[in-house]
Amino acid sequence: MKIIKVKSYEEMSALAAKLIVEQIKEKPNSVLGLATGSTPIGTYERLVGLDFSRVKTFNLDEYCGLKRGHSQSYYYFMMENLFSHINIKKNNINFPTEKNPEKYDDKITRAGGIDLQLLGVGSNGHIGFNEPDDVFHNLTRIVKLADSTVKDNARFFDNIKDVPKTAISMGIGTIMATRKIVLVADKNKAHIIKELEKPVVSPQLPCSILHYHPDCTIICVM
Ligand code: F6R
């Protein structure tokens, strides 16, 4: 695991975007795994203009119970922040669904596996919506959000009561099977990066599994 410390959100975003640009230039039909949340917005801004005509994407997660047109659904977020600004084909955009979530892993496998996975990290160390637990969960499934995640994400909703309590998330196994990982973390996640610097792997800090990934770059503002 390579940890690159940078001074600003802009520097973090530019470096993450550079790695994605390199990936797509090297393999124009790349399969990308994508994240939502505040952190990757600057990365996505820097990808506008890149040729996505042969790229396939698989998002990490989606809230249960929100329609695609809901302003807080992750589908809507991706449309607003990336997909409506690039030349990706609609059929090449994939999200996990409440119906048959386990089929998502088969779909990823049929697409040839994920070449590059962009990740954010939760303030409790979650990746995707794999929350701290006693065990690591392997595959895409419906998950209950941790109370701290509901609280963190309440900033996007009018009322904390409106935040969905469940989501569909790629599993830890799905994430670990990707060929390359780029994790972005702004300075509000410095406490998690400090934990990650310790050589300890625990399901109570889900991102710590990344110590075992063969090609993982963490870009953090510190
Ligand atoms: C979102 C996701 C989450 C976020 C994490 C950080 O698709 O997978 O793990 O990356 O909650 O969110 P922000 O960037 O809003 O702090």
Side-chain angles (χ1 to χ4, degrees), residues 97-111:
T97 53
E98 272 181 83
K99 213 173 140 204
N100 304 322
E102 67 287 349
K103 290 209 169 139
Y104 202 53
D105 292 284
D106 298 339
K107 211 170 176 187
I108 294 172
T109 305
R110 282 199 306 275

Side-chain angles (χ1 to χ4, degrees), residues 35-39 60-61 120-122 126 128 155 189:
T36 56
S38 320
T39 319
L60 272 168
D61 40 25
V121 63
H126 71 209
R155 69 191 192 279
K189 306 290 167 48

Side-chain angles (χ1 to χ4, degrees), residues 9 34-41 44 59-62 74 77-78 117-131 149 152-153 155-156 169 175 184-186 188-189:
Y9 179 80
L34 298 178
T36 56
S38 320
T39 319
I41 291 176
Y44 292 145
N59 263 80
L60 272 168
D61 40 25
E62 179 57 283
Y74 284 170
F77 172 97
M78 288 307 301
Q117 174 67 55
L118 181 65
L119 290 179
V121 63
S123 59
N124 63 1
H126 71 209
I127 45 176
F129 276 138
N130 295 283
E131 303 286 21
T149 299
D152 284 350
N153 291 359
R155 69 191 192 279
F156 300 113
S169 177
I175 295 171
V184 282
D186 203 354
N188 60 338
K189 306 290 167 48

Side-chain angles (χ1 to χ4, degrees), residues 61-148:
D61 40 25
E62 179 57 283
Y63 285 123
C64 289
L66 297 191
K67 296 230 161 68
R68 287 190 157 185
H70 188 288
S71 66
Q72 294 311 325
S73 80
Y74 284 170
Y75 181 86
Y76 191 96
F77 172 97
M78 288 307 301
M79 279 296 163
E80 287 286 290
N81 290 290
L82 183 65
F83 296 149
S84 65
H85 308 288
I86 57 173
N87 63 343
I88 192 162
K89 297 197 176 89
K90 232 177 168 185
N91 285 346
N92 284 343
I93 296 172
N94 298 281
F95 276 79
T97 53
E98 272 181 83
K99 213 173 140 204
N100 304 322
E102 67 287 349
K103 290 209 169 139
Y104 202 53
D105 292 284
D106 298 339
K107 211 170 176 187
I108 294 172
T109 305
R110 282 199 306 275
I114 292 175
D115 292 304
L116 186 152
Q117 174 67 55
L118 181 65
L119 290 179
V121 63
S123 59
N124 63 1
H126 71 209
I127 45 176
F129 276 138
N130 295 283
E131 303 286 21
D133 203 343
D134 294 335
V135 289
F136 289 113
H137 296 272
N138 203 18
L139 298 177
T140 304
R141 70 210 182 284
I142 299 206
V143 296
K144 186 180 171 303
L145 300 182
D147 292 345
S148 63

Side-chain angles (χ1 to χ4, degrees), residues 2 19-20 22-23 26 31-33 114-119 175-183 210 213-217:
K2 193 159 115 191
L19 296 176
I20 298 172
E22 280 171 9
Q23 171 66 42
E26 196 184 308
V31 179
L32 299 184
I114 292 175
D115 292 304
L116 186 152
Q117 174 67 55
L118 181 65
L119 290 179
I175 295 171
M176 290 300 283
T178 63
R179 289 188 266 279
K180 184 190 282 281
I181 292 179
V182 176
L183 183 149
L210 298 174
H213 193 279
D215 186 353
C216 175
T217 302

